[in-house]
Amino acid sequence: MFRRISSGGGSKQTTFFNYFIMQLKQSLIEEIRGIINSSRAKAIRSVDNERVLMYWQIGKVIFEEEQKGKSRADYGSYLIKSISDEFQPHFGTGFTIRQLEMNRQFYRSFQNTNALRSQFSWTHYRTLIRIDNQDKRAFYIDETDKNNWTARQ
């Protein structure tokens, strides 16, 4: 494709060839950079999706176990504290009493996993579960989905 150009003299062909190689290299680097950034973003979304599902499943298990208890309020407090005491040393702050209570509330607010949206992060859901009114929550879900709002908007 290219013929070999002697290194002496600095001809127009050598300058063009060097410019072409630098442009080719730059476009190649940009293409690879785009692939890396896209894959990283997908990996982050995938991990966050799994975290949302994990919190939902934990909330479901806690909620269903509480429903078996006779004195629900006392049993619920004891249950969540026991789970936190067991898991927090091994898995960290994702298993505080407050976090486990949010998991339970998350399940109570979204009892159907089909209602969960893959584009929503855990931060979105934490905000949504604090809205007690079902109509308001539905409005914010639709607006967030339609306008592609971040969790802070």
Side-chain angles (χ1 to χ4, degrees):
M1 180 172 171
F2 294 101
R3 62 185 179 145
R4 183 164 251 205
I5 301 172
S6 67
S7 60
S11 71
K12 288 182 182 178
Q13 286 180 327
T14 304
T15 303
F16 173 76
F17 179 73
N18 289 341
Y19 174 78
F20 178 78
I21 294 299
M22 295 207 31
Q23 291 295 64
L24 175 68
K25 185 178 177 184
Q26 190 61 37
S27 66
L28 183 67
I29 287 170
E30 290 304 317
E31 183 178 358
I32 292 170
R33 181 176 283 125
I35 292 168
I36 291 168
N37 288 334
S38 174
S39 294
R40 283 181 175 174
K42 287 176 185 175
I44 289 167
R45 280 192 303 274
S46 179
V47 167
D48 200 54
N49 236 2
E50 285 301 314
R51 182 172 62 155
V52 165
L53 290 174
M54 176 187 71
Y55 288 156
W56 184 89
Q57 291 170 340
I58 290 169
K60 180 180 183 205
V61 169
I62 292 170
F63 180 79
E64 289 176 348
E65 180 62 27
E66 282 179 339
Q67 297 308 303
K68 295 177 192 175
K70 296 197 178 3
S71 175
R72 291 185 190 157
D74 291 339
Y75 181 64
S77 298
Y78 172 77
L79 177 66
I80 287 179
K81 182 175 180 348
S82 297
I83 293 169
S84 179
D85 290 346
E86 178 67 30
F87 288 106
Q88 196 172 1
H90 301 287
F91 297 108
T93 58
F95 295 92
T96 62
I97 292 170
R98 180 168 166 72
Q99 178 65 39
L100 293 169
E101 287 171 342
M102 276 197 294
N103 294 166
R104 179 184 57 198
Q105 182 61 34
F106 180 39
Y107 173 75
R108 289 175 64 196
S109 299
F110 297 90
Q111 291 191 3
N112 181 354
T113 56
N114 293 331
L116 300 178
R117 303 188 184 209
S118 60
Q119 68 270 30
F120 287 9
S121 67
W122 174 239
T123 306
H124 283 105
Y125 283 113
R126 276 193 347 222
T127 303
L128 291 168
I129 63 176
R130 292 182 178 123
I131 302 171
D132 291 331
N133 183 300
Q134 289 285 70
D135 292 334
K136 283 184 181 179
R137 185 182 305 136
F139 170 79
Y140 282 110
I141 288 170
D142 290 342
E143 287 298 306
T144 300
D145 193 28
K146 183 172 46 174
N147 297 308
N148 201 24
W149 287 349
T150 65
R152 292 191 173 115
Q153 288 178 307

